[in-house]
Amino acid sequence: GAGVSQSPSNKVTEKGKDVELRCDPISGHTALYWYRQSLGQGLEFLIYFQGNSAPDKSGLPSDRFSAERTGGSVSTLTIQRTQQEDSAVYLCASSSASGTSGRDTQYFGPGTRLTVL
Amino acid sequence: GNSVTQMEGPVTLSEEAFLTINCTYTATGYPSLFWYVQYPGEGLQLLLKATKADDKGSNKGFEATYRKETTSFHLEKGSVQVSDSAVYFCALKSGGSYIPTFGRGTSLIVHP
């Protein structure tokens, strides 16, 4: 079946502009994660959605970052007034279960490479 | 809190050489352990996992054994190929927590 998809694959924007990144999880997956991967760094957790529950936003680095998930499926990560330090690869992952089992496997999308000039 | 420490890269090998990428962890309880691989321009893919002590995960010639006594999950492959060039991430996930902990990744470069 189809995996996790993300769009756009690349986004170049000017400092101060807003951007929207989209994630389509695997059908039926209730858990959805956003991560940020900066050059040479590991994965930085941003936000977690589980079903209709309130999202865990504890990883969002500033109030310029927000995310929503409509209908328990597609998610959009929005970055307002982008800064150069926002340049990174933004990865989305989904999981079939609640995510609280240690055995749960995450399936990652290919990522969106964001460049802020 | 939980943490994962991986050896720093890049690791540079010739084709058919033996590979070891070290990974140690700190965690509460009994976490599951994972290795993910990220090929250039792609997202992370699960390579293998182990969910309890002494389990061995294996896939595509790669192996890793969950060693609770040394809190380690080292990745090994007997004979690497050029196509194995990628970044490898060790990760753990504790039961009851929905946020996994990732290492910083180790870049592997295999020369013909």
Side-chain angles (χ1 to χ4, degrees), chain B residues 3-68:
Chain B
S3 68
V4 174
T5 303
Q6 294 181 234
M7 59 189 295
E8 289 194 18
V11 174
T12 304
L13 296 172
S14 297
E15 203 165 26
E16 299 184 3
F18 184 87
L19 168 71
T20 300
I21 299 178
N22 290 338
C23 171
T24 56
Y25 67 90
T26 302
T28 55
Y30 302 93
S32 292
L33 303 173
F34 305 82
W35 276 102
Y36 285 85
V37 58
Q38 184 178 33
Y39 297 104
E42 299 183 12
L44 277 69
Q45 302 174 25
L46 179 66
L47 181 60
L48 54 84
K49 69 178 183 181
T51 59
K52 62 182 187 295
D54 300 325
D55 269 2
K56 177 184 287 187
S58 61
N59 186 25
K60 299 181 181 179
F62 290 89
E63 293 183 341
T65 301
Y66 189 140
R67 301 287 188 198
K68 188 164 180 62

Side-chain angles (χ1 to χ4, degrees), chain A residues 24-45:
Chain A
D24 281 270
I26 292 173
S27 177
H29 279 194
T30 57
L32 188 148
Y33 301 75
W34 282 99
Y35 295 91
R36 179 167 68 177
Q37 184 179 24
S38 301
L39 186 64
Q41 303 296 311
L43 272 67
E44 176 187 5
F45 165 77

Side-chain angles (χ1 to χ4, degrees), chain A residues 4-113:
Chain A
V4 178
S5 60
Q6 293 186 245
S7 61
S9 54
N10 281 283
K11 177 71 176 179
V12 179
T13 190
E14 293 179 349
K15 177 181 173 180
K17 301 280 183 141
D18 298 352
V19 295
E20 284 190 352
L21 312 180
R22 176 187 168 105
C23 171
D24 281 270
I26 292 173
S27 177
H29 279 194
T30 57
L32 188 148
Y33 301 75
W34 282 99
Y35 295 91
R36 179 167 68 177
Q37 184 179 24
S38 301
L39 186 64
Q41 303 296 311
L43 272 67
E44 176 187 5
F45 165 77
L46 296 177
I47 189 168
Y48 163 78
F49 293 91
Q50 171 54 41
N52 296 319
S53 302
D56 180 340
K57 305 179 182 180
S58 61
L60 295 178
S62 78
D63 59 7
R64 295 187 296 104
F65 288 72
S66 63
E68 63 177 20
R69 189 177 184 193
T70 54
S73 181
V74 172
S75 178
T76 302
L77 177 68
T78 302
I79 309 173
Q80 296 178 310
R81 305 180 302 282
T82 53
Q83 303 295 312
Q84 289 184 330
E85 60 263 28
D86 299 334
S87 296
V89 175
Y90 289 82
L91 293 169
C92 175
S94 69
S95 176
S96 62
S98 65
T100 56
S101 168
R103 292 172 171 75
D104 292 338
T105 297
Q106 295 190 334
Y107 296 85
F108 283 81
T112 294
R113 181 174 298 279

